[in-house]
Amino acid sequence: MSTPRVGVLALQGDTREHLAALREAGADATTVRRVTELEAVDALVIPGGESTTMSHLLREFELLEPLRARLAEGMPAYGSCAGMILLATEILDAGVEGRAAVPLNAIDMTVRRNAFGRQVDSFEGDFPFEGLDGHVHAVFIRAPWVERVGPDVQVLGQAGGHIVAVRQGRMLATAFHPEMTGDRRIHKLFVDML
């Protein structure tokens, strides 16, 4: 089997950390900022960052509709934090009109932005992650949580009684930032899904 070519959406957010984690997990990782680059990858990681800013930049770079189309066609994707928000079918507290986070409709879930609180409420913690041995150490920064999942969505992890990791087919999303730790198991899980 050939090495999967995984793009990391590089409009805003922690791109460099995801590129390093994907390479360590066995992928050929590259940045995606243009439609031609999106067309050249087998899968995409949407990093953490700020979901309204990322939505604005997706429109500005004319990537929003091409990305929605690739996802609808079945391109695998992994979203962390802001990426989880964007992969949802519904976003609560999406932001002000004209500057709101836009759903990409890739995972049948409702996500609440900044659900755990403001920047000062950011935290780290350990919790079990379905399909991985041992606990995952998670970094939550102005993190979302999932309020509703559809029937085809598998809950992979919870923190504080809230859903923070999900999978639907070849779509994966976490409310936290595994790229900020040395643990590459979630990136490896995504690469293995390809």
Side-chain angles (χ1 to χ4, degrees):
M1 182 177 129
S2 64
T3 303
R5 187 163 176 80
V6 181
V8 177
L9 189 64
L11 302 179
Q12 190 255 348
D14 47 354
T15 305
R16 186 178 62 232
E17 294 86 349
H18 276 291
L19 289 168
L22 287 165
R23 289 174 182 141
E24 288 177 39
D28 174 12
T30 186
T31 56
V32 171
R33 291 184 190 92
R34 295 173 183 79
V35 174
T36 54
E37 294 167 338
L38 177 64
E39 292 168 348
V41 296
D42 303 312
L44 185 71
V45 171
I46 303 174
E50 210 293 311
S51 57
T52 58
T53 299
M54 291 172 81
S55 296
H56 171 73
L57 292 171
L58 281 169
R59 287 189 210 94
E60 287 293 310
F61 281 75
E62 298 180 352
L63 276 168
L64 181 60
E65 293 311 319
L67 177 52
R68 278 185 173 151
R70 285 289 315 270
L71 293 169
E73 292 164 2
M75 178 185 67
Y78 165 52
S80 67
C81 198
M84 171 186 253
I85 294 166
L86 296 179
L87 287 176
T89 51
E90 182 182 18
I91 303 169
L92 302 178
D93 301 325
V96 295
E97 190 70 32
R99 288 283 299 164
V102 293
L104 296 171
N105 303 317
I107 298 176
D108 184 9
M109 63 181 172
T110 302
V111 175
R112 181 173 300 279
R113 288 177 67 236
N114 303 327
F116 284 103
R118 301 164 48 121
Q119 189 79 19
V120 297
D121 301 310
S122 299
F123 66 99
E124 296 182 31
D126 297 327
F127 65 91
F129 193 99
E130 183 77 28
L132 298 180
D133 291 333
H135 284 62
V136 168
H137 184 74
V139 177
F140 293 87
I141 303 172
R142 291 180 58 205
W145 67 47
V146 178
E147 294 210 352
R148 177 204 61 85
V149 294
D152 296 329
V153 178
Q154 178 186 10
V155 174
L156 300 177
Q158 296 187 46
H162 301 286
I163 300 168
V164 295
V166 297
R167 177 178 179 176
Q168 181 176 356
R170 295 196 311 163
M171 302 291 174
L172 182 67
T174 61
F176 55 91
H177 296 266
E179 74 283 0
M180 297 180 81
T181 71
D183 188 343
R184 300 303 185 219
R185 290 179 297 161
I186 292 174
H187 287 84
K188 180 77 170 115
L189 173 66
F190 181 60
V191 171
D192 288 348
M193 287 166 47
L194 308 180

